[in-house]
Amino acid sequence: MQQVSSRDRGLNYGDGFFTTVKISAGKLERWEGHLKRLAQCASALYFPELDYRALTEQCECASREVAQGVLKVVITRGEGGRGYGLPEEPKVTTLVSLSPYPAHYARWRDEGVTLALSDVRLGHQPMLAGLKTLNRLEQVLIKQNAAHKAADDVLVVDLYGQVIESSAANILICKDKHWYTPDLSQCGIQGVYLSSLQQHNPITTISLTLESVYRADTVYLCNSLMGLVPVRQIDNHVFSLNKAHALAKELVVRL
C-alpha cells in the first residue's frame, strides 16, 4: 500500500496535480493526452521534469489485468520547503491507484442526464485555470450543493454568470450544427476528452451565457471516464435526446 508522509506538500498545501484515466481491456485510453496534461501542470507549478517513461510503465503494469476500471495518478512535490516556499531539490511523490468504473455512466450515455443550476460559483484564477491541481475545494462544495438538487448533476457558472462546466465534466453545445464549448481561460478544468474532440472537430471556444445554453439545439457533458453524455433537461429547459444522439454521431471521437 502506498503511503504519504504527514509533511507531504500535497496534503498540506494541495501542492500537486492529478489525472484520471479510463481503462478498457487492460489499455489506458487517451494516455498521451493524460501525459500532456501532467506535463502542463508540472510546468505551470514549477515542478522538476517528471520521468514519463517510468510513469507510463508503472501505469500500464497496474492496468494490464483490468477489464474496465479507473486509474488515478496523483503527483505532489513531496516534503520540504519552509512554509509555502518551495524546496530547493523537491522529491516528487507519485501515487497510482485503481478503482471500479462508475456503472451508471453507460445509462447516462443512453438516457441522458438532467442538470440543475449550481448555487456555488467558480472564482477566477487564470494562473491555474484549465489545470487539474489538487486544490479542488470549490468542486467539493459544488458536489455537496448538487446532492441537494433534484437532478443528476449541476451546471456551474463563474462569478459573472458565464457557463464553465458541470461538477466534474466539460460542457459542449451544438447550435445550427456548429459546436461550442466554454472559455476556460479564467477558471475550470480543460478535460483530456474535450481536448481530443477539439483536435479532430471544429469546436469554437466562446464565452457561453446561460441563455446561449438554453437556446442550444443539444447540450452534452464530457470527460475521460463518461465520454460524451447528452443533457435532456436543465431546470425547466428540455432538449431532444434523439437529436442529441444523432448529432453526436457527426463528431470524430478517437482514443
Side-chain angles (χ1 to χ4, degrees):
M1 178 181 293
Q2 295 170 295
Q3 295 183 337
V4 178
S5 166
S6 62
R7 295 189 294 273
D8 191 280
R9 295 178 61 88
L11 178 62
N12 285 276
Y13 309 123
D15 189 0
F17 46 92
F18 70 105
T19 196
T20 48
V21 188
K22 183 180 179 182
I23 304 171
S24 295
K27 302 296 183 181
L28 300 167
E29 290 193 0
R30 298 181 180 84
W31 179 241
E32 290 301 320
H34 288 281
L35 285 179
K36 183 178 179 180
R37 156 182 275 174
L38 294 175
Q40 288 173 334
C41 290
S43 175
L45 298 178
Y46 304 102
F47 268 59
E49 181 71 19
L50 303 179
D51 189 340
Y52 296 108
R53 177 176 295 181
L55 178 61
T56 298
E57 292 176 356
Q58 182 182 2
C59 292
E60 288 179 342
C61 181
S63 62
R64 193 165 293 142
E65 303 300 322
V66 179
Q68 188 175 50
V70 178
L71 180 140
K72 184 174 184 178
V73 179
V74 177
I75 308 289
T76 84
R77 209 182 305 267
E79 299 182 43
R82 181 177 177 84
Y84 294 131
L86 303 185
E88 292 184 5
E89 297 182 2
K91 296 182 179 179
V92 172
T93 298
T94 302
L95 302 171
V96 175
S97 60
L98 297 173
S99 60
Y101 183 77
H104 63 280
Y105 281 167
R107 175 173 54 82
W108 278 16
R109 286 191 295 270
D110 290 338
E111 301 177 5
V113 295
T114 60
L115 301 181
L117 186 61
S118 175
D119 299 317
V120 181
R121 295 191 173 201
L122 290 171
H124 285 189
Q125 176 44 275
M127 292 183 68
L128 299 176
L131 304 178
K132 202 163 187 178
T133 71
L134 296 182
N135 296 283
R136 301 264 65 88
L137 287 178
E138 285 180 316
Q139 281 67 37
V140 171
L141 295 176
I142 288 167
K143 275 291 189 183
Q144 176 62 17
N145 181 247
H148 299 284
K149 301 284 187 179
D152 296 308
D153 201 352
V154 287
L155 186 65
V156 185
V157 301
D158 68 5
L159 295 173
Y160 300 96
Q162 298 295 304
V163 173
I164 302 298
E165 57 195 10
S166 77
S167 69
N170 287 122
I171 301 292
L172 188 67
I173 72 168
C174 187
K175 179 66 175 177
D176 299 328
K177 293 197 173 184
H178 290 87
W179 296 88
Y180 304 94
T181 194
D183 178 12
L184 304 179
S185 62
Q186 301 300 309
C187 59
I189 296 175
Q190 176 72 28
V192 169
Y193 189 93
L194 176 61
S195 294
S196 177
L197 287 180
Q198 289 176 309
Q199 288 178 11
H200 304 293
N201 299 276
I203 299 173
T204 304
T205 298
I206 61 172
S207 294
L208 201 58
T209 65
L210 278 170
E211 285 303 316
S212 296
V213 174
Y214 295 152
R215 292 197 303 267
D217 297 323
T218 56
V219 181
Y220 306 84
L221 304 184
C222 67
N223 69 24
S224 293
L225 301 184
M226 68 174 66
L228 191 66
V229 171
V231 175
R232 67 175 188 271
Q233 186 170 344
I234 305 175
D235 287 331
N236 296 322
H237 299 268
V238 179
F239 302 91
S240 168
L241 189 59
N242 289 335
K243 182 181 288 186
H245 284 309
L247 287 173
K249 293 178 181 179
E250 299 181 5
L251 287 172
V252 177
V253 180
R254 294 182 179 174
L255 298 180

